[in-house]
Amino acid sequence: MCSSDLDEEGAESNPARTEITLTPVNDSPVVDISSPTSADPPNFETTFTEDGGPVSITHSTPSITDVDDTRLSSCTLVLDNIPDGLEEFLTFTTAGTAVSGVYSATTGVLSLTGRTFLSEYEQVFATIRYNNVDEDPDTTPRVVTITCHDDSGSPTSQSVAVTSTITVVSVPDPPVVDLNGPGQADDTAVEYAENSAPIFVLNDEITIEDPDSTALVGCVVDIANPIDQPQEILDVVVDNIQFSQTYDASTGTLDISGVGTLEEWVVLLERVTYEHLGDNPDTTLRRVTVVCTDDTGIQSTGTPTSTITIIPSNDPPVVDLSGPSDNSFDFFNTFTEGGAAVAITTADATIFDVDSDNLSSCTIRISNPLNPGNEIIRATASVPGVVTSYNQGTHVFSISATAPKADYETILRSLEYENTDGNPNPSEDRDITVQCVDDSNTPTDTSNIAHAYIEIIANNDPPFIDLSGNNDPSQDYDTAFIEDQTDPTFVVDRDFVLTDVDSSNLSQCVFDIQNPESGDTLVVETQFTSVQDSYDSTTGTLTLNGDTSIEEYQIGRAHV
């Protein structure tokens, strides 16, 4: 620098110089990650929500400037607090740049290196994300501190630190119900055999997990596809007083409620049972689902399902001889000696089979025939294609053919019992059994044994007299008496017949001359018998009295 002065006379002095040496000082890079509307530039604030995915730790257009340099050599980002450990971390992308990056999950330090342009570091900054996969994250705010170095190598090469503050919002997590334990799918499967006792339907390896709750307030176990309601039943035995349960049979929904630990609920769910009360269950696979609610009001996700295979069993036919109006399957009737055949069923007798439409046979048997050869079962109705027969030797009436139950009912309702014996044995009611077989060809294809009890009423039969015996088809006897003959004439043939099918004794026999004449008389020889005789000559009547055997009366009659 040069300068000069003028004296009072205006004369100029000699020139003088001052020299100034300029020493340059490196300017630090300036990092700005804030948004244009930030209240705290150059810093940045954001919010991470549990399960919401990674969030950027900078504005979408971060800025790095340096008044005396166009390049950086490195940047360091430090996640200052990592309470969730390896569950939280920073991610980044360096593709398309000369920047290299290394992140330490243990220390939370992201190191970016590479002597390259500011813009390339800006590009990498825009890709940096914070993520936390913890299902119950600590809600302490996270702070990421960022510093960068230019390539001057001077003491002022480091930028002023800026921070990215991340607010962490925890979201209540749903409980997770697994019906068959860890390491497999959530579902399970069971089998239920028709008419069996209740089965445990949800397996005994259930697990319930909840990252941020230790208790449940309720579980709903539901038959997702109830088909045979209200015959399908879900139930659970509740021991602890804090639990209760209700079951809606119309929807197949079991609602269990009460505050309990996850472990207590595991025990409860393992006790849930399924039962089918019907005799002909639909064999469609049943799906039983479970939904639980934790003490924050969050329901479990997914549909853990127990699939029930229904194993049917054949139900035997049921023979009812007395029809639906009577509580008994048996029938009672009376047969009177000499009367018409009687029915062994009511007119509305039924054969019921809940799971078979056809029968293959029925057997009707007189189990205690007391007049063999004279007791008969017959059907007054017939059905085309259905074969019927009666075996007199075994006293069995058979119906056979694969035919609808209605055809068998038609024949069954027409069955009759008859006893043609002139002296039927009334000592026992006849027990006629009826048993039918369905067409399932299974061990349970045979019905109950229904009984028709027939009371036998015997009538007293009169004695039978055939005076001519075997000599004449008529029962009368013709003889002759010749006047003045010395021997009397017998009024009965030598082989005359005197019988009584139901009595072995007689009490009286009367011989009567219908048109007596003077001198007519009837005499008899009753010696050596118990029979007493008397003759009335006025009326021509010979009377034999005495309660004694037919044989003794035959002796007496033979000598009249």
Side-chain angles (χ1 to χ4, degrees):
M1 172 183 281
C2 295
S3 65
S4 61
D5 292 323
L6 296 177
D7 61 15
E8 58 186 16
E9 295 178 355
E12 187 177 271
S13 71
N14 62 307
R17 281 179 195 279
T18 301
E19 292 185 359
I20 301 174
T21 300
L22 298 178
T23 302
V25 176
N26 181 67
D27 291 283
S28 302
V30 177
V31 178
D32 187 348
I33 59 173
S34 65
S35 66
T37 60
S38 174
D40 185 26
N43 301 313
F44 183 72
E45 293 181 354
T46 189
T47 298
F48 171 82
T49 301
E50 178 186 348
D51 295 326
V55 294
S56 176
I57 68 165
T58 73
H59 185 255
S60 59
T61 56
S63 170
I64 305 175
T65 58
D66 195 327
V67 296
D68 54 10
D69 210 335
T70 60
R71 298 174 186 271
L72 295 180
S73 62
S74 67
C75 287
T76 301
L77 297 87
V78 180
L79 182 56
D80 292 332
N81 51 335
I82 46 176
D84 293 326
L86 300 181
E87 301 293 319
E88 55 183 325
F89 46 85
L90 299 178
T91 62
F92 62 96
T93 300
T94 60
T97 72
V99 178
S100 298
V102 177
Y103 177 71
S104 171
T106 303
T107 62
V109 175
L110 171 60
S111 298
L112 302 176
T113 59
R115 185 175 181 277
T116 187
F117 296 107
L118 305 179
S119 60
E120 293 193 7
Y121 275 89
E122 289 175 336
Q123 179 180 333
V124 174
F125 270 34
T127 69
I128 299 173
R129 301 287 186 270
Y130 168 82
N131 197 13
N132 191 327
V133 295
D134 195 304
E135 290 300 329
D136 187 22
D138 189 297
T139 56
T140 303
R142 308 304 196 269
V143 177
V144 179
T145 302
I146 304 171
T147 57
C148 291
H149 292 80
D150 62 25
D151 65 348
S152 67
S154 67
T156 58
S157 64
Q158 178 177 303
S159 67
V160 175
V162 296
T163 59
S164 178
T165 301
I166 305 166
T167 299
V168 177
V169 177
S170 177
V171 176
D173 290 281
V176 177
V177 180
D178 188 338
L179 298 183
N180 61 0
Q184 306 178 60
D186 294 339
D187 299 336
T188 189
V190 295
E191 292 182 347
Y192 178 80
E194 178 185 343
N195 295 325
S196 67
I199 61 167
F200 295 113
V201 70
L202 299 180
N203 207 334
D204 59 357
E205 298 180 355
I206 298 173
T207 60
I208 303 175
E209 297 178 350
D210 196 322
D212 50 17
S213 294
T214 59
L216 300 181
V217 296
C219 287
V220 175
V221 184
D222 182 62
I223 303 174
N225 58 333
I227 298 173
D228 294 327
Q229 297 308 93
Q231 296 174 319
E232 297 182 79
I233 306 296
L234 293 177
D235 195 12
V236 65
V237 176
V238 176
D239 290 336
N240 297 337
I241 193 170
Q242 76 264 33
F243 296 111
S244 63
Q245 62 103 341
T246 58
Y247 181 66
D248 186 339
S250 64
T251 63
T253 302
L254 176 65
D255 195 336
I256 314 170
S257 59
V259 178
T261 66
L262 303 184
E263 292 76 15
E264 289 175 321
W265 276 99
V266 166
V267 172
L268 270 181
L269 292 181
E270 288 179 348
R271 292 178 178 175
V272 174
T273 60
Y274 171 87
E275 182 180 16
H276 195 299
L277 303 179
D279 287 324
N280 188 26
D282 189 297
T283 57
T284 302
L285 294 176
R286 303 302 197 277
R287 294 180 294 105
V288 177
T289 60
V290 181
V291 176
C292 294
T293 303
D294 66 23
D295 57 358
T296 66
I298 304 299
Q299 285 189 342
S300 58
T301 58
T303 52
T305 301
S306 176
T307 300
I308 306 175
T309 299
I310 306 293
I311 302 175
S313 61
N314 182 67
D315 291 279
V318 177
V319 178
D320 184 356
L321 301 183
S322 60
S325 60
D326 194 297
N327 293 329
S328 169
F329 295 145
D330 300 333
F331 177 72
F332 298 85
N333 208 344
T334 299
F335 175 79
T336 301
E337 177 187 345
V342 297
I344 68 170
T345 77
T346 61
D348 58 352
T350 61
I351 306 172
F352 176 76
D353 196 322
V354 69
D355 54 11
S356 295
D357 295 325
N358 294 332
L359 298 179
S360 62
S361 67
C362 285
T363 300
I364 299 92
R365 183 190 309 272
I366 303 175
S367 63
N368 59 337
L370 300 181
N371 301 109
N374 294 102
E375 298 185 73
I376 302 167
I377 296 174
R378 67 168 65 92
T380 61
S382 63
V383 175
V386 179
V387 178
T388 61
S389 63
Y390 181 66
N391 187 318
Q392 186 71 56
T394 60
H395 299 91
V396 171
F397 186 91
S398 300
I399 311 172
S400 61
T402 300
K405 290 174 289 187
D407 290 350
Y408 275 81
E409 287 176 337
T410 297
I411 296 174
L412 184 68
R413 293 166 181 172
S414 76
L415 292 178
E416 295 179 339
Y417 168 84
E418 184 178 19
N419 193 326
T420 59
D421 197 299
N423 184 30
N425 189 330
S427 62
E428 294 180 19
D429 291 351
R430 300 306 188 269
D431 181 6
I432 301 175
T433 62
V434 181
Q435 191 170 40
C436 296
V437 178
D438 67 28
D439 65 345
S440 66
N441 195 28
T442 65
T444 57
D445 59 4
T446 304
S447 76
N448 62 309
I449 298 177
H451 300 263
Y453 296 101
I454 308 298
E455 180 186 4
I456 305 298
I457 298 178
N459 292 324
N460 181 61
D461 291 283
F464 175 76
I465 302 174
D466 184 352
L467 298 180
S468 62
N470 296 323
N471 299 327
D472 194 293
S474 74
Q475 298 166 7
D476 299 330
Y477 180 66
D478 294 327
T479 189
F481 177 81
I482 300 173
E483 183 181 357
D484 297 328
Q485 71 180 41
T486 59
D487 295 324
T489 297
F490 291 101
V491 299
V492 298
D493 199 358
R494 293 178 180 273
D495 60 353
F496 80 97
V497 177
L498 174 59
T499 62
D500 194 322
V501 295
D502 53 11
S503 294
S504 57
N505 288 353
L506 297 180
S507 62
Q508 185 182 73
C509 281
V510 176
F511 292 78
D512 185 57
I513 301 174
Q514 297 292 309
N515 52 346
E517 298 290 342
S518 175
D520 290 343
T521 185
L522 292 175
V523 295
V524 63
E525 178 58 58
T526 59
Q527 188 178 6
F528 308 116
T529 72
S530 301
V531 178
Q532 304 296 318
D533 64 276
S534 64
Y535 180 68
D536 186 341
S537 58
T538 304
T539 60
T541 301
L542 172 66
T543 302
L544 305 181
N545 291 297
D547 188 0
T548 188
S549 67
I550 292 177
E551 288 77 10
E552 292 200 351
Y553 273 91
Q554 284 177 317
I555 293 172
R557 291 177 65 90
H559 291 84
V560 175

